[in-house]
Amino acid sequence: MSRAAEAGASPGESDRLPPGIWKIASVAAIGSFMSQLDATIVNVSLPGLAGTLHAAFPTIQWVMSGYLLALALTLPLNGWLVDRIGARALYLWCFAAFTLASGLCGLAWSAPSLIGFRVVQGMAGGFLAPMAQMLVARAAGRHMPRVASMVVMPVLLAPLLGPVVAGGILTFASWRWIFLFNLPVGLLAFVLAWRFLPDDRQQVRPRVLDLVGLALLSPALVFFLYGIDRLGQRVGGALVCGGLLLFAVYGAWARRKGDGALIDLRLFGGRVFSASVGTMFLLNGALFAGQMLVPVWLIHGGGLSPDRVGWLMTPMGLGMMCTYPLMGWLTDRFGIRRLTHCGALVAFAGTLLLVFFALYGVAFSILAGALFLRGAGMGAIGIPSMSAGYAAVKRQDLPVATTALNIVQRLGGPIWTTLCAMTLGGQASAGPFMASRVFAVAFGVLCVLHALLCLTTRLLPVRLAGKPAG
């Protein structure tokens, strides 16, 4: 069977979308939205939780950290479970577990119980976003760029809406309703998923679980992500080294295991899939590093208040939101490579302006334009490059490819954020002249990241398989 056919496309295929695709995409989007929303929804409630549950702040912070680490802990199991029980069944089980854990969080009686329930919630939520991508990729085939915005947009909006939703709830109700809010939404989403997601039991191909690979890869992810967040401490450096060692051991094990490995590393032998994964890794790094650097610069270097900085950051989100709905038309019109490369160049230009502003002062109207350019440029990269990666693998390999793509993508954010933060050191609060030079260097590092992104987009295919040239 041809690669185009495996990807769900053929040269003679109609341009009409597959029947029911918008229902599938809408149901999948609810899962990714809820998973990402709960990653940030508790942030504004942490001080209140510490007082209500009589816990120290370092302890109560695990309500957030435990959830985020649990998301990474279960991610390597995604591909095996899809092959074992099917995508629809796994999605339903995870949604049920996520909703039940949300209810238990709302009934927690102490800080340890709340943290424990949040870990369970995170373990279930860790499957929802990758599953949403895979369900849409399976159903859409080569039409992925036209419908992927339905899944990607909630992932973008959820972290921004989390604190807003929490603030509204805490204004009128107890912190418990931050979690109990998920019960009616989760129940409705479960019913919709049961009704509209296609039955894929005929595609199940049970395989033996790679227990050694799981024992290496899951701790490696947790050690690395937790350690890099605390890289300035001795324990952080030790955990990062431990995580890297486990990654290396897993690499040796997976090469020996072949297609029986938890994640078959031979997938990365394909040029298009490797280019897609590398692009998503750099894109996630550019997104998170920029979201860290720009507010710190405006507060410490520009002397602005945090609430004003929040408003100044909105043009970047608006840029992404303006680009996403046009992805289908833009991809059909310009193709994968040209669109993503132009997007990378636009984002690079917007970032280069930040270096100039850091050195010579900022005009806020032009800053808004620069951030809009960054958002619009990066918005033009993610969906086409992800679609190219999915189209480059066989249909039966989509579960494992989804797992690999999400793991590498998730590592990009903390790695590049830490590298950019290290350029700041302890000098961000120094005098204005020194601070301007330090931030200019940090934005320079961010420019290097965007330059690498320009290079990887050149390795993506001109168009998706099965798309007629023209």
Side-chain angles (χ1 to χ4, degrees), residues 357-392:
F357 292 149
L359 287 173
Y360 301 108
V362 58
F364 292 113
S365 58
I366 304 178
L367 173 63
L371 293 178
F372 185 88
L373 284 177
R374 285 196 80 235
M378 288 192 287
I381 300 172
I383 291 175
S385 60
M386 180 176 64
S387 302
Y390 281 129

mmCIF file of all heavy atoms in Angstrom, residues 357-392:
data_model
loop_
_atom_site.group_PDB
_atom_site.id
_atom_site.type_symbol
_atom_site.label_atom_id
_atom_site.label_comp_id
_atom_site.label_asym_id
_atom_site.label_seq_id
_atom_site.Cartn_x
_atom_site.Cartn_y
_atom_site.Cartn_z
ATOM 1 N N PHE A 357 14.273 46.578 20.738
ATOM 2 C CA PHE A 357 13.548 47.253 21.825
ATOM 3 C C PHE A 357 14.299 47.148 23.149
ATOM 4 O O PHE A 357 14.329 48.094 23.941
ATOM 5 C CB PHE A 357 12.154 46.654 21.986
ATOM 6 C CG PHE A 357 11.236 46.940 20.841
ATOM 7 C CD1 PHE A 357 10.251 46.030 20.482
ATOM 8 C CD2 PHE A 357 11.343 48.107 20.107
ATOM 9 C CE1 PHE A 357 9.402 46.286 19.426
ATOM 10 C CE2 PHE A 357 10.498 48.372 19.052
ATOM 11 C CZ PHE A 357 9.524 47.457 18.699
ATOM 12 N N ALA A 358 14.898 45.976 23.395
ATOM 13 C CA ALA A 358 15.619 45.796 24.655
ATOM 14 C C ALA A 358 16.820 46.721 24.748
ATOM 15 O O ALA A 358 17.178 47.202 25.830
ATOM 16 C CB ALA A 358 16.059 44.336 24.796
ATOM 17 N N LEU A 359 17.448 47.004 23.623
ATOM 18 C CA LEU A 359 18.652 47.853 23.622
ATOM 19 C C LEU A 359 18.325 49.348 23.609
ATOM 20 O O LEU A 359 18.990 50.141 24.281
ATOM 21 C CB LEU A 359 19.524 47.514 22.411
ATOM 22 C CG LEU A 359 20.290 46.192 22.463
ATOM 23 C CD1 LEU A 359 20.968 45.914 21.134
ATOM 24 C CD2 LEU A 359 21.317 46.201 23.596
ATOM 25 N N TYR A 360 17.292 49.721 22.869
ATOM 26 C CA TYR A 360 17.088 51.151 22.600
ATOM 27 C C TYR A 360 15.757 51.699 23.116
ATOM 28 O O TYR A 360 15.427 52.842 22.858
ATOM 29 C CB TYR A 360 17.186 51.409 21.094
ATOM 30 C CG TYR A 360 18.521 50.996 20.522
ATOM 31 C CD1 TYR A 360 18.634 49.871 19.719
ATOM 32 C CD2 TYR A 360 19.681 51.714 20.811
ATOM 33 C CE1 TYR A 360 19.856 49.477 19.195
ATOM 34 C CE2 TYR A 360 20.916 51.321 20.299
ATOM 35 C CZ TYR A 360 20.990 50.207 19.492
ATOM 36 O OH TYR A 360 22.204 49.814 18.988
ATOM 37 N N GLY A 361 14.991 50.882 23.822
ATOM 38 C CA GLY A 361 13.715 51.369 24.339
ATOM 39 C C GLY A 361 12.568 50.894 23.474
ATOM 40 O O GLY A 361 12.739 50.547 22.303
ATOM 41 N N VAL A 362 11.379 50.877 24.082
ATOM 42 C CA VAL A 362 10.242 50.260 23.433
ATOM 43 C C VAL A 362 9.155 51.287 23.141
ATOM 44 O O VAL A 362 8.873 52.165 23.948
ATOM 45 C CB VAL A 362 9.669 49.111 24.304
ATOM 46 C CG1 VAL A 362 9.264 49.618 25.684
ATOM 47 C CG2 VAL A 362 8.496 48.436 23.623
ATOM 48 N N ALA A 363 8.572 51.173 21.952
ATOM 49 C CA ALA A 363 7.339 51.876 21.614
ATOM 50 C C ALA A 363 6.234 50.825 21.652
ATOM 51 O O ALA A 363 6.260 49.856 20.873
ATOM 52 C CB ALA A 363 7.444 52.505 20.227
ATOM 53 N N PHE A 364 5.284 51.001 22.547
ATOM 54 C CA PHE A 364 4.345 49.924 22.837
ATOM 55 C C PHE A 364 3.444 49.591 21.650
ATOM 56 O O PHE A 364 3.019 48.445 21.496
ATOM 57 C CB PHE A 364 3.511 50.276 24.069
ATOM 58 C CG PHE A 364 4.312 50.292 25.327
ATOM 59 C CD1 PHE A 364 4.542 51.473 26.010
ATOM 60 C CD2 PHE A 364 4.862 49.124 25.827
ATOM 61 C CE1 PHE A 364 5.295 51.487 27.171
ATOM 62 C CE2 PHE A 364 5.623 49.126 26.982
ATOM 63 C CZ PHE A 364 5.842 50.312 27.654
ATOM 64 N N SER A 365 3.166 50.575 20.803
ATOM 65 C CA SER A 365 2.356 50.276 19.622
ATOM 66 C C SER A 365 3.119 49.354 18.668
ATOM 67 O O SER A 365 2.545 48.430 18.082
ATOM 68 C CB SER A 365 1.969 51.567 18.918
ATOM 69 O OG SER A 365 3.122 52.299 18.539
ATOM 70 N N ILE A 366 4.427 49.608 18.518
ATOM 71 C CA ILE A 366 5.236 48.744 17.651
ATOM 72 C C ILE A 366 5.468 47.391 18.321
ATOM 73 O O ILE A 366 5.532 46.356 17.651
ATOM 74 C CB ILE A 366 6.574 49.426 17.316
ATOM 75 C CG1 ILE A 366 6.329 50.804 16.691
ATOM 76 C CG2 ILE A 366 7.396 48.570 16.358
ATOM 77 C CD1 ILE A 366 7.589 51.569 16.364
ATOM 78 N N LEU A 367 5.607 47.392 19.653
ATOM 79 C CA LEU A 367 5.755 46.123 20.377
ATOM 80 C C LEU A 367 4.541 45.230 20.134
ATOM 81 O O LEU A 367 4.686 44.021 19.921
ATOM 82 C CB LEU A 367 5.917 46.386 21.872
ATOM 83 C CG LEU A 367 5.913 45.142 22.779
ATOM 84 C CD1 LEU A 367 7.101 44.246 22.464
ATOM 85 C CD2 LEU A 367 5.917 45.537 24.249
ATOM 86 N N ALA A 368 3.350 45.815 20.165
ATOM 87 C CA ALA A 368 2.143 45.033 19.901
ATOM 88 C C ALA A 368 2.207 44.408 18.512
ATOM 89 O O ALA A 368 1.841 43.242 18.317
ATOM 90 C CB ALA A 368 0.905 45.918 20.039
ATOM 91 N N GLY A 369 2.715 45.171 17.535
ATOM 92 C CA GLY A 369 2.859 44.627 16.188
ATOM 93 C C GLY A 369 3.871 43.504 16.120
ATOM 94 O O GLY A 369 3.660 42.494 15.434
ATOM 95 N N ALA A 370 4.989 43.660 16.869
ATOM 96 C CA ALA A 370 6.016 42.620 16.882
ATOM 97 C C ALA A 370 5.477 41.328 17.495
ATOM 98 O O ALA A 370 5.724 40.226 16.984
ATOM 99 C CB ALA A 370 7.247 43.107 17.655
ATOM 100 N N LEU A 371 4.736 41.448 18.588
ATOM 101 C CA LEU A 371 4.171 40.259 19.236
ATOM 102 C C LEU A 371 3.101 39.623 18.353
ATOM 103 O O LEU A 371 2.970 38.388 18.311
ATOM 104 C CB LEU A 371 3.588 40.632 20.592
ATOM 105 C CG LEU A 371 4.613 41.068 21.654
ATOM 106 C CD1 LEU A 371 3.915 41.471 22.952
ATOM 107 C CD2 LEU A 371 5.622 39.962 21.932
ATOM 108 N N PHE A 372 2.338 40.456 17.653
ATOM 109 C CA PHE A 372 1.335 39.912 16.724
ATOM 110 C C PHE A 372 2.020 39.114 15.610
ATOM 111 O O PHE A 372 1.558 38.037 15.226
ATOM 112 C CB PHE A 372 0.503 41.044 16.137
ATOM 113 C CG PHE A 372 -0.622 40.574 15.261
ATOM 114 C CD1 PHE A 372 -1.863 40.268 15.801
ATOM 115 C CD2 PHE A 372 -0.447 40.426 13.885
ATOM 116 C CE1 PHE A 372 -2.908 39.826 15.001
ATOM 117 C CE2 PHE A 372 -1.479 39.984 13.068
ATOM 118 C CZ PHE A 372 -2.712 39.694 13.636
ATOM 119 N N LEU A 373 3.141 39.652 15.109
ATOM 120 C CA LEU A 373 3.902 38.938 14.079
ATOM 121 C C LEU A 373 4.394 37.591 14.599
ATOM 122 O O LEU A 373 4.327 36.575 13.898
ATOM 123 C CB LEU A 373 5.083 39.783 13.608
ATOM 124 C CG LEU A 373 4.788 40.955 12.668
ATOM 125 C CD1 LEU A 373 6.071 41.713 12.362
ATOM 126 C CD2 LEU A 373 4.145 40.466 11.376
ATOM 127 N N ARG A 374 4.935 37.587 15.835
ATOM 128 C CA ARG A 374 5.405 36.317 16.417
ATOM 129 C C ARG A 374 4.262 35.312 16.491
ATOM 130 O O ARG A 374 4.417 34.137 16.142
ATOM 131 C CB ARG A 374 5.965 36.533 17.828
ATOM 132 C CG ARG A 374 7.328 37.184 17.877
ATOM 133 C CD ARG A 374 7.962 37.005 19.254
ATOM 134 N NE ARG A 374 8.548 35.682 19.392
ATOM 135 C CZ ARG A 374 8.249 34.832 20.371
ATOM 136 N NH1 ARG A 374 7.372 35.146 21.289
ATOM 137 N NH2 ARG A 374 8.836 33.652 20.422
ATOM 138 N N GLY A 375 3.105 35.768 16.987
ATOM 139 C CA GLY A 375 1.979 34.852 17.128
ATOM 140 C C GLY A 375 1.471 34.345 15.795
ATOM 141 O O GLY A 375 1.247 33.137 15.625
ATOM 142 N N ALA A 376 1.311 35.253 14.828
ATOM 143 C CA ALA A 376 0.814 34.843 13.520
ATOM 144 C C ALA A 376 1.803 33.912 12.827
ATOM 145 O O ALA A 376 1.412 32.922 12.191
ATOM 146 C CB ALA A 376 0.552 36.081 12.656
ATOM 147 N N GLY A 377 3.102 34.214 12.937
ATOM 148 C CA GLY A 377 4.110 33.366 12.309
ATOM 149 C C GLY A 377 4.143 31.978 12.899
ATOM 150 O O GLY A 377 4.147 30.976 12.169
ATOM 151 N N MET A 378 4.141 31.891 14.233
ATOM 152 C CA MET A 378 4.176 30.569 14.862
ATOM 153 C C MET A 378 2.871 29.812 14.651
ATOM 154 O O MET A 378 2.855 28.581 14.561
ATOM 155 C CB MET A 378 4.495 30.718 16.351
ATOM 156 C CG MET A 378 5.943 31.111 16.608
ATOM 157 S SD MET A 378 6.464 30.958 18.337
ATOM 158 C CE MET A 378 5.594 32.346 19.031
ATOM 159 N N GLY A 379 1.759 30.554 14.536
ATOM 160 C CA GLY A 379 0.493 29.894 14.253
ATOM 161 C C GLY A 379 0.462 29.232 12.893
ATOM 162 O O GLY A 379 -0.295 28.281 12.671
ATOM 163 N N ALA A 380 1.290 29.720 11.964
ATOM 164 C CA ALA A 380 1.336 29.142 10.624
ATOM 165 C C ALA A 380 2.245 27.925 10.532
ATOM 166 O O ALA A 380 2.353 27.314 9.462
ATOM 167 C CB ALA A 380 1.807 30.206 9.622
ATOM 168 N N ILE A 381 2.902 27.560 11.621
ATOM 169 C CA ILE A 381 3.877 26.454 11.587
ATOM 170 C C ILE A 381 3.306 25.166 12.165
ATOM 171 O O ILE A 381 3.470 24.087 11.592
ATOM 172 C CB ILE A 381 5.154 26.849 12.365
ATOM 173 C CG1 ILE A 381 5.801 28.083 11.735
ATOM 174 C CG2 ILE A 381 6.148 25.691 12.403
ATOM 175 C CD1 ILE A 381 6.942 28.647 12.558
ATOM 176 N N GLY A 382 2.640 25.261 13.320
ATOM 177 C CA GLY A 382 2.292 24.072 14.092
ATOM 178 C C GLY A 382 1.422 23.072 13.361
ATOM 179 O O GLY A 382 1.776 21.890 13.230
ATOM 180 N N ILE A 383 0.264 23.505 12.879
ATOM 181 C CA ILE A 383 -0.684 22.574 12.266
ATOM 182 C C ILE A 383 -0.135 21.941 10.988
ATOM 183 O O ILE A 383 -0.202 20.712 10.824
ATOM 184 C CB ILE A 383 -2.029 23.280 11.997
ATOM 185 C CG1 ILE A 383 -2.719 23.591 13.332
ATOM 186 C CG2 ILE A 383 -2.940 22.423 11.136
ATOM 187 C CD1 ILE A 383 -3.986 24.394 13.193
ATOM 188 N N PRO A 384 0.462 22.705 10.048
ATOM 189 C CA PRO A 384 1.003 22.046 8.842
ATOM 190 C C PRO A 384 2.133 21.063 9.141
ATOM 191 O O PRO A 384 2.185 19.983 8.547
ATOM 192 C CB PRO A 384 1.509 23.227 7.997
ATOM 193 C CG PRO A 384 0.742 24.403 8.477
ATOM 194 C CD PRO A 384 0.537 24.174 9.941
ATOM 195 N N SER A 385 3.044 21.430 10.072
ATOM 196 C CA SER A 385 4.158 20.520 10.360
ATOM 197 C C SER A 385 3.662 19.265 11.075
ATOM 198 O O SER A 385 4.142 18.155 10.790
ATOM 199 C CB SER A 385 5.224 21.231 11.192
ATOM 200 O OG SER A 385 4.704 21.680 12.421
ATOM 201 N N MET A 386 2.691 19.412 11.989
ATOM 202 C CA MET A 386 2.122 18.235 12.649
ATOM 203 C C MET A 386 1.407 17.346 11.630
ATOM 204 O O MET A 386 1.520 16.120 11.668
ATOM 205 C CB MET A 386 1.160 18.676 13.755
ATOM 206 C CG MET A 386 0.504 17.543 14.512
ATOM 207 S SD MET A 386 -0.522 18.143 15.887
ATOM 208 C CE MET A 386 -1.785 19.050 15.001
ATOM 209 N N SER A 387 0.667 17.965 10.713
ATOM 210 C CA SER A 387 -0.034 17.202 9.675
ATOM 211 C C SER A 387 0.947 16.441 8.799
ATOM 212 O O SER A 387 0.700 15.297 8.413
ATOM 213 C CB SER A 387 -0.879 18.147 8.816
ATOM 214 O OG SER A 387 -1.809 18.857 9.608
ATOM 215 N N ALA A 388 2.081 17.067 8.464
ATOM 216 C CA ALA A 388 3.095 16.391 7.647
ATOM 217 C C ALA A 388 3.658 15.183 8.376
ATOM 218 O O ALA A 388 3.897 14.130 7.767
ATOM 219 C CB ALA A 388 4.216 17.371 7.301
ATOM 220 N N GLY A 389 3.874 15.309 9.691
ATOM 221 C CA GLY A 389 4.387 14.188 10.467
ATOM 222 C C GLY A 389 3.426 13.017 10.482
ATOM 223 O O GLY A 389 3.827 11.852 10.306
ATOM 224 N N TYR A 390 2.137 13.294 10.667
ATOM 225 C CA TYR A 390 1.145 12.224 10.679
ATOM 226 C C TYR A 390 1.009 11.576 9.297
ATOM 227 O O TYR A 390 0.838 10.359 9.182
ATOM 228 C CB TYR A 390 -0.210 12.767 11.128
ATOM 229 C CG TYR A 390 -0.328 12.951 12.626
ATOM 230 C CD1 TYR A 390 -0.764 14.152 13.162
ATOM 231 C CD2 TYR A 390 -0.011 11.917 13.491
ATOM 232 C CE1 TYR A 390 -0.877 14.325 14.532
ATOM 233 C CE2 TYR A 390 -0.111 12.072 14.856
ATOM 234 C CZ TYR A 390 -0.549 13.281 15.375
ATOM 235 O OH TYR A 390 -0.646 13.440 16.733
ATOM 236 N N ALA A 391 1.079 12.380 8.237
ATOM 237 C CA ALA A 391 0.931 11.838 6.887
ATOM 238 C C ALA A 391 2.126 10.986 6.475
ATOM 239 O O ALA A 391 2.025 10.202 5.536
ATOM 240 C CB ALA A 391 0.745 12.986 5.890
ATOM 241 N N ALA A 392 3.263 11.141 7.174
ATOM 242 C CA ALA A 392 4.487 10.439 6.794
ATOM 243 C C ALA A 392 4.575 9.033 7.375
ATOM 244 O O ALA A 392 5.498 8.293 7.029
ATOM 245 C CB ALA A 392 5.710 11.244 7.234
#
